[in-house]
Amino acid sequence: MEGGGDVVYRTNITTSLQDPCLTSMAHVTDEGIEFIRPQKITETHVVLNITGFSGYGNVKDEDSPPDPVRALVLLFYRPPEDPDPESLINVLLLPKNVSLWDVQRTRKKLVGHEWYIETSPHCKLQPNQVYTLSTCPNNDLVEVQPTEAEFDEDSYDNYFPSFQVNWETTLKHLKLILKDTDSSLVVWERRVCLMSTGKRKSCGPNTANAPPNERLLNIRSCFIDGISEPVLKNLLDKLLETKVMTDSERESVDGMDNRRDKARFVIDTVRKKGEAAGSEMIEFLCEVDPFLCGHLGLM
């Protein structure tokens, strides 16, 4: 394509040369390649003065592997239920941009009750690459199915597990190791804390049939002690979106430095607003942290 008049290009090519006499640029045209001197070089740009347009772009070998993407390894635990002694962890490999809220809500509809295990989920995975999950202890008592799975960053809407880990004995801790199958490089490794008995005991009396306000009052101390800062923020977002809490109340919470004070303010504020508000808080809490709700006896 021909251009009329002078055209000044600025390109952010990194160079340590500040003398235009020592640098040449390739100008690609239909007739061939012309090497021209830059008009000006700065610390961040090379300025050219040319009379046509240059075809250029980023190129990559079509056989080269895709770049790694930021991903999440999410764990959902299903404890044993009498008389079945089997415990199960569903391991999901997902891209980082998924919402944990959506994952929990969808899986609750699909499989019912399970507890999200809060651990650092971040890693980098290559699309369409096969990964291997192993455990420690690595013996016949702990089974991983399948042992290998491909990371698909595009097809994940149903949030099916990539791996399932099951065992029929009592474990307090379990280490999970995710490796690149081809290179054996460890891309994610965590030590997961499990319940010593395989079941979580409820905090306080069973008040499933009590009014929501009474249920919140009964679990008040355990809620204040047990809720984490990220879960509390998610809960606050839900309460604000549904107008259970007001903007000024949210600002009051944000102005507090102590997590326990924040939790105390939230549960007491909602409790005083009636049964409908209390019921919504219980529902939201069960969605954002089923593990804690099981401990509190709310599920």
Side-chain angles (χ1 to χ4, degrees):
M1 178 177 180
E2 296 295 333
D6 291 346
V7 179
V8 177
Y9 282 90
R10 286 179 171 84
T11 178
N12 61 341
I13 298 174
T14 302
T15 177
S16 60
L17 299 176
Q18 298 299 313
D19 186 353
C21 296
L22 300 178
T23 304
S24 294
M25 302 298 296
H27 177 216
V28 182
T29 66
D30 292 338
E31 289 75 25
I33 300 177
E34 173 190 8
F35 290 93
I36 57 178
R37 298 290 184 186
Q39 185 183 61
K40 181 181 179 182
I41 296 179
T42 70
E43 292 183 356
T44 58
H45 290 78
V46 176
V47 182
L48 307 177
N49 192 340
I50 59 177
T51 57
F53 291 96
S54 179
Y56 67 93
N58 293 326
V59 295
K60 186 176 181 180
D61 191 335
E62 62 180 8
D63 295 327
S64 62
D67 294 329
V69 299
R70 296 186 183 277
L72 303 174
V73 180
L74 301 182
L75 309 178
F76 291 89
Y77 175 53
R78 192 179 304 168
E81 296 181 2
D82 292 333
D84 184 4
E86 183 179 65
S87 297
L88 176 70
I89 293 180
N90 289 304
V91 182
L92 281 64
L93 306 184
L94 299 171
K96 186 184 178 182
N97 61 347
V98 302
S99 164
L100 179 58
W101 165 265
D102 289 338
V103 177
Q104 290 177 311
R105 182 175 54 186
T106 301
R107 287 197 55 79
K108 185 176 182 180
K109 292 179 180 178
L110 287 174
V111 301
H113 175 55
E114 60 182 1
W115 291 335
Y116 168 65
I117 299 179
E118 187 172 0
T119 185
S120 177
H122 303 288
C123 65
K124 286 187 177 182
L125 302 177
Q126 283 192 339
N128 306 320
Q129 174 63 38
V130 176
Y131 291 91
T132 301
L133 184 72
S134 59
T135 65
C136 182
N138 184 11
N139 51 42
D140 294 338
L141 298 178
V142 181
E143 183 180 17
V144 179
Q145 298 184 96
T147 56
E148 297 180 352
E150 182 179 300
F151 173 58
D152 186 351
E153 67 167 336
D154 297 320
S155 179
Y156 57 85
D157 291 343
N158 291 318
Y159 304 122
F160 294 134
S162 299
F163 303 96
Q164 289 187 314
V165 183
N166 56 72
W167 64 94
E168 296 185 359
T169 187
T170 300
L171 293 176
K172 291 185 178 181
H173 301 92
L174 183 67
K175 181 178 285 188
L176 300 175
I177 305 110
L178 186 67
K179 295 182 180 180
D180 184 310
T181 302
D182 293 337
S183 65
S184 296
L185 177 68
V186 175
V187 296
W188 182 87
E189 181 177 353
R190 299 292 184 272
R191 183 174 182 263
V192 178
C193 179
L194 304 168
M195 295 170 295
S196 60
T197 62
K199 294 183 179 179
R200 191 98 180 199
K201 294 182 179 179
S202 174
C203 175
N206 184 358
T207 58
N209 297 322
N213 292 2
E214 183 178 335
R215 298 179 71 189
L216 290 178
L217 180 61
N218 288 332
I219 56 95
R220 181 177 180 273
S221 296
C222 292
F223 172 84
I224 293 170
D225 291 336
I227 193 167
S228 67
E229 188 80 28
V231 171
L232 186 59
K233 288 182 179 179
N234 287 339
L235 179 62
L236 276 168
D237 288 340
K238 297 298 177 185
L239 294 173
L240 184 64
E241 289 169 6
T242 54
K243 299 182 179 180
V244 174
M245 293 189 70
T246 64
D247 288 324
S248 61
E249 290 167 340
R250 174 62 189 264
E251 290 171 0
S252 297
V253 175
D254 291 339
M256 299 177 183
D257 296 327
N258 185 278
R259 176 193 58 80
R260 289 169 54 86
D261 290 340
K262 293 179 181 180
R264 184 179 294 108
F265 180 88
V266 170
I267 193 170
D268 288 342
T269 299
V270 174
R271 215 170 32 83
K272 296 174 183 177
K273 294 193 174 191
E275 292 188 9
S279 178
E280 288 203 70
M281 176 173 169
I282 292 173
E283 180 180 349
F284 291 147
L285 184 60
C286 289
E287 289 180 344
V288 298
D289 195 344
F291 194 83
L292 175 62
C293 285
H295 174 57
L296 298 177
L298 296 176
M299 298 183 70

